[in-house]
Amino acid sequence: MMALAVGLAYLLNQSWLRWRSGFRLLTFLPAVTTLVAYAVVFRVLLATDGGAVNQMLGVLGVAPIDWLNNEWWARVSVIAAVTWRWTGYNMVIILAGLQSIPPELYEAAKVDGAGRWQTFWSVVLPQLRPVLIFTGITSTIGALQLFDENFILTGGGPNDATLTPVLYLYKVGFRQFDFGYASAIAWMLVLITAIIAVVQFRVMREKP
């Protein structure tokens, strides 16, 4: 998701691209849809019988896929839904970072004979480091807190293939009514999130 967001932001920041504002709006629109609404839409689209995705695959001669009841495809479905929902959000933040890079840096790289790819690696990415730290940490925290998508799409199944820490906490606390264990899960989730955030911050903050 992060790589896709960086690629989209870099593409939509190019001056030669026409209708940039329209493309930016279309890319960001998923971020303003409600979690429950878009998860329900994905559930309808990915339905084994009559779902739009399987209908399109049928036109291509591909057999229907049991998206939400197969362990592998259930994971793919949740990943696809989350990526669709949050890539545009991260893209807008990264795009703001791209637009804050001084034009003089691009000109200096061009004078030094750097190509487009060298400029991207040597100028763009180092300048985006603070933005990437922010989006990386928030995306990781969001992934650890994932609940709505897998709860609506798969309910954590099949065979706990899409069970996330927050969904597990919900099942323990509000279905098994073991609130002590659920509280312990919550505290461990906070601790794990803090550790990952600190590690990400330290690793991405280091100069290459």
Side-chain angles (χ1 to χ4, degrees):
M1 182 177 63
M2 290 293 299
L4 185 59
V6 171
L8 284 172
Y10 188 71
L11 175 63
L12 296 177
N13 193 46
Q14 302 303 309
S15 58
W16 51 262
L17 183 66
R18 299 180 62 186
W19 305 305
R20 284 184 297 169
S21 298
F23 285 126
R24 292 172 184 173
L25 177 62
L26 288 175
T27 307
F28 183 71
L29 274 179
V32 300
T33 59
T34 60
L35 292 172
V36 175
Y38 99 89
V40 170
V41 169
F42 264 82
R43 184 175 180 85
V44 173
L45 292 174
L46 297 173
T48 305
D49 299 322
V53 175
N54 277 338
Q55 288 183 6
M56 288 187 291
L57 292 177
V59 173
L60 299 175
V62 179
I65 297 174
D66 195 3
W67 293 100
L68 303 178
N69 297 307
N70 176 279
E71 293 183 18
W72 169 262
W73 290 114
R75 293 190 184 102
V76 171
S77 301
V78 173
I79 291 171
V82 173
T83 302
W84 179 84
R85 175 67 164 76
W86 293 109
T87 297
Y89 174 84
N90 288 316
M91 183 273 296
V92 169
I93 298 175
I94 295 171
L95 182 60
L98 283 172
Q99 293 177 345
S100 67
I101 299 177
E104 293 80 8
L105 295 180
Y106 293 105
E107 295 174 2
K110 187 176 181 179
V111 170
D112 289 339
R116 187 179 298 273
W117 189 248
Q118 289 176 313
T119 302
F120 179 78
W121 281 102
S122 302
V123 176
V124 175
L125 285 184
Q127 292 294 315
L128 285 179
R129 186 177 296 273
V131 178
L132 294 178
I133 291 174
F134 173 77
T135 53
I137 292 175
T138 55
S139 296
T140 301
I141 294 174
L144 290 172
Q145 295 177 341
L146 191 64
F147 176 80
D148 299 80
E149 292 86 346
N150 52 325
F151 178 75
I152 295 172
L153 286 172
T154 62
N159 299 322
D160 293 337
T162 57
L163 186 67
T164 56
V166 177
L167 182 55
Y168 181 53
L169 186 157
Y170 166 79
K171 288 185 175 182
V172 169
F174 296 98
R175 291 188 179 177
Q176 301 175 14
F177 298 105
D178 190 347
F179 295 109
Y181 186 30
S183 298
I185 295 172
W187 278 107
M188 286 304 300
L189 182 59
V190 170
L191 180 61
I192 292 170
T193 302
I195 292 173
I196 293 177
V198 170
V199 170
Q200 280 188 315
F201 181 78
R202 290 182 177 276
V203 169
M204 298 186 71
R205 187 182 58 179
E206 293 177 358
K207 298 291 183 181

